[in-house]
Amino acid sequence: MDILLIAGLWLDGSAWDDVVSALKPLGHRPVPITLPGQGDGSASATLDDQVAAVLAAVDSASGKLMVVGHSAACTLAWLAADARPEQVAKIVLIGGFPSADGESYADFFELKDGVMPFPGWGPFEGPDSADLDEEARRIIASAAIPVPEGVAKGVVRLADERRFDVPVVLVCPEFTPAQAKEWIDAGDVPELAKARHLDLVDIDSGHWPMVSKPIELARLLAAAAAEA
């Protein structure tokens, strides 16, 4: 199966390199995306540009595919299910939750000169980054690409309720499946509360398992694809 891989803020498609290497021998076709504004040199990209890039990859797949979103890009994966519910066989969300219609995409950190730079490790101290050594932190921070304001402040638009029929796997890295269930049940994640097929899967990692636990993550993705 084609497995579309969408990394979160500040990351380009190379963030998935180790996962790609582990997925190929398992019989799947991983397709990492470098999003507009996150690796193509554009500082003027918008959320619509990123959505268009994701949908172009979905439309290029051979048959149905699985779409994987990490962190903020969980919303991009969800937007793919909304726009192509008949083509997306399964959604995998890693360490994040989809925004609802009308919410901003990722207006989380301070903007400077029209972009949202990586804010340093301060906001991510604790479970998010506990499994990253100094070298991994240095590599992530030095490769981080400032996210264009038009992406971060883009407004999410959802239109097709068939998205709730697409099976979803929520991979829980820095939080537990029990915590995720609490948040969903409390109404904090309204989109997933309406998902008709939702599985919660644990992975013992921080927020960036594609860096710290790529082999384990690849196995989880392969298992999810096998059941799609």
Side-chain angles (χ1 to χ4, degrees), residues 46-48 51 75 79 99-106 149-158:
T46 65
L47 178 60
D48 287 345
V51 173
T75 296
L79 284 162
S99 298
D101 182 67
E103 294 182 346
S104 63
Y105 173 64
E149 180 176 358
V151 173
K153 290 198 168 187
V155 177
V156 174
R157 295 298 181 197
L158 298 163

Side-chain angles (χ1 to χ4, degrees), residues 2-59:
D2 284 3
I3 301 177
L4 194 60
L5 301 167
I6 317 168
L9 300 176
W10 311 297
L11 304 174
D12 64 14
S14 69
W16 299 102
D17 283 356
D18 291 342
V19 176
V20 167
S21 297
L23 267 176
K24 285 181 178 177
L26 299 177
H28 298 286
R29 295 179 296 278
V31 183
I33 290 185
T34 288
L35 295 165
Q38 289 180 223
D40 66 347
S42 171
S44 61
T46 65
L47 178 60
D48 287 345
D49 294 331
Q50 292 200 348
V51 173
V54 170
L55 295 183
V58 170
D59 293 339

Side-chain angles (χ1 to χ4, degrees), residues 22 56 162 192 201:
R162 288 181 296 167
L192 292 190
V201 178

Side-chain angles (χ1 to χ4, degrees), residues 88-102:
V88 177
K90 182 172 279 188
I91 293 289
V92 178
L93 309 177
I94 302 169
F97 305 94
S99 298
D101 182 67

Side-chain angles (χ1 to χ4, degrees), residues 78 85 88-89 161-168 194-197:
W78 194 243
V88 177
E161 295 214 342
R162 288 181 296 167
R163 68 185 180 276
F164 298 122
D165 293 321
V166 178
V168 182
K194 296 177 186 176
R196 297 183 178 95
H197 314 279

